[in-house]
Amino acid sequence: MTTAQLKPREMAKAFYDQNADYDGLFFVGVKTTGIFCRPSCSARRPKPENVSYFHDADTAAQAGFRACKRCHPLNADGRPPTWVQTLLKALEQSADGRLPDERMRELGVDPARARRYFRQHHGMTFQAWARSRRLNEARETIRSGEQASKAIRGYSSESGFRSAFDRAFGHAPGASAKQASIITAQIESPVGPLLAGVTDDGVCLLEFVMQKRHTRQLEAICKWLQCKAVPGEHKWLKALRKQLAEYFAGSRQQFDLPLIYPGTSFQQSVWQQLQGIPYGETISYQELARRVGDENASRAVGTANGCNRLAIIIPCHRVVNKSGNLGGYGGGLHRKSWLLKLERGEL
């Protein structure tokens, strides 16, 4: 969606409300400072007459504006800021998989800033995220056939490791081969970051990172699958990144991935029907209800749409009101409009 497709009043409201849901969809140039920001920037709001709106960062830069050092608008598509990338690189190089606060300060990063960022984007502090990631690596080592004693990294004793492992996964290290877990990662996109989750059986979560929705959806799938979620890497995450990149580039119309979407029998029937809506086309909630088997269940299918935990892949964005208006969308109507325009070749 470009600024031409977003109404000026909508952009102004998003900017003055500091609405992070619009990050990446447009950028704001401030004439008095010469910088451009994302809508959610925490800086003091300028007077409306000193604001210009741009559909992408390049256009803002060409107009003479510099990127804001507070909100880092160049990272609005989900790419972690440079300082976060520095932390992750140092973590990879750490022999014990740890990065104490003192080391973070040596890298020029305030630990409090890291805590805030990781709480917002991953639902946990940086240290908790690093610990969970380290435990997931240990779990994969054990599942490959190694002894638990060889998987310990960053723990002074085997008992400490086993205790932390049990808290993270809900079972002892030796039971890893039989117990499932959800591996999560953040994926960048043109409409903002996405939280993805997979198990060995396939993709179970793809949700826009916005407010508390992605946290609620992650908690819901953990409850359905009766397992814990930890950050890490997995073959299905790699496949998902590749196919999403192709989709956003306009070269992929269908996803070829195993999907996991537990729910009530009614929800599952709705989600199965959604997968039958052709790329670039839309149907009404009433038509979806008819396909499910009850023409009077428009409201119920709308609720089931909102519970869909596999955004884009199970295309609930292709359902609109009978009048042709967009209706609702858990990821925000601006994203729904953008996705439909992408599929129609209108971007």
Side-chain angles (χ1 to χ4, degrees):
M1 182 180 294
T2 66
T3 52
Q5 294 154 353
L6 278 171
K7 296 180 180 179
R9 182 178 298 179
E10 184 179 4
M11 289 188 290
K13 186 177 188 309
F15 176 55
Y16 285 96
D17 287 348
Q18 294 181 290
N19 193 335
D21 294 348
Y22 285 77
D23 284 355
L25 297 181
F26 71 90
F27 299 85
V28 184
V30 182
K31 300 174 185 177
T32 51
T33 60
I35 65 172
F36 72 93
C37 309
R38 60 173 78 196
S40 67
C41 184
S42 60
R44 182 178 179 181
R45 276 359 192 199
K47 295 180 179 179
E49 59 267 27
N50 292 325
V51 173
S52 297
Y53 298 104
F54 302 93
H55 70 272
D56 60 38
D58 288 342
T59 306
Q62 290 169 7
F65 292 94
R66 306 182 309 278
C68 175
K69 293 184 178 180
R70 177 177 295 189
C71 69
H72 303 280
L74 297 177
N75 299 325
D77 58 359
R79 288 173 294 164
T82 302
W83 65 268
V84 174
Q85 295 180 41
T86 299
L87 286 185
L88 297 180
K89 183 177 180 181
L91 191 64
E92 289 284 350
Q93 297 173 343
S94 172
D96 60 2
R98 291 175 175 271
L99 210 61
D101 287 357
E102 309 83 71
R103 176 57 179 148
M104 293 167 66
R105 293 189 183 94
E106 290 175 1
L107 295 170
V109 178
D110 180 4
R113 185 185 189 189
R115 285 195 294 273
R116 289 193 299 269
Y117 178 90
F118 275 78
R119 275 205 185 101
Q120 178 182 353
H121 289 81
H122 299 278
M124 62 183 77
T125 66
F126 171 73
Q127 297 297 358
W129 183 89
R131 182 168 57 252
S132 295
R133 185 173 177 272
R134 188 167 67 248
L135 287 169
N136 184 57
E137 291 176 352
R139 177 176 177 270
E140 291 305 307
T141 299
I142 294 170
R143 296 182 75 183
S144 69
E146 294 287 350
Q147 295 294 320
S149 59
K150 295 184 178 180
I152 297 175
R153 186 163 74 107
Y155 290 90
S156 58
S157 68
E158 187 170 336
S159 61
F161 166 73
R162 290 181 179 277
S163 177
F165 194 99
D166 183 68
R167 287 196 301 270
F169 296 103
H171 59 79
S176 294
K178 299 179 181 179
Q179 299 292 335
S181 63
I182 298 172
I183 311 302
T184 63
Q186 199 169 112
I187 299 177
E188 63 187 65
S189 85
V191 284
L194 292 152
L195 178 66
V198 305
T199 71
D200 289 343
D201 295 325
V203 182
C204 62
L205 179 69
L206 187 65
E207 184 59 73
F208 293 104
V209 175
M210 52 180 288
Q211 299 177 352
K212 297 181 179 180
R213 179 178 171 84
H214 64 289
T215 302
R216 292 196 304 269
Q217 294 285 56
L218 179 59
E219 290 173 348
I221 191 60
C222 285
K223 186 175 181 179
W224 274 106
L225 299 183
Q226 291 293 295
C227 61
K228 300 293 185 69
V230 291
E233 195 50 74
H234 194 282
K235 66 176 182 180
W236 294 129
L237 285 172
K238 294 177 181 177
L240 178 58
R241 285 192 189 94
K242 179 177 182 296
Q243 294 195 19
L244 279 172
E246 294 168 349
Y247 169 82
F248 286 119
S251 60
R252 174 175 288 275
Q253 297 187 1
Q254 292 184 326
F255 291 88
D256 181 21
L257 295 163
L259 305 180
I260 304 169
Y261 46 94
T264 66
S265 58
F266 180 78
Q267 288 175 331
Q268 290 188 327
S269 64
V270 170
W271 298 336
Q272 288 164 5
Q273 290 297 328
L274 289 174
Q275 295 175 68
I277 305 174
Y279 178 93
E281 298 183 16
T282 59
I283 65 171
S284 67
Y285 291 97
Q286 185 176 16
E287 171 60 20
L288 179 58
R290 186 192 67 79
R291 295 184 184 185
V292 172
D294 185 353
E295 292 184 1
N296 298 317
S298 297
R299 187 180 296 275
V301 299
T303 300
N305 260 21
C307 294
N308 174 29
R309 291 180 294 271
L310 291 168
I312 303 175
I313 300 176
I314 294 183
C316 53
H317 60 277
R318 295 176 191 162
V319 184
V320 299
N321 287 339
K322 188 177 180 180
S323 64
N325 293 330
L326 292 181
Y329 189 58
L333 291 183
H334 50 291
R335 289 193 175 96
K336 183 173 186 175
S337 176
W338 193 97
L339 293 171
L340 292 175
K341 289 179 183 295
L342 168 70
E343 294 183 1
R344 293 169 180 162
E346 297 176 4
L347 293 181

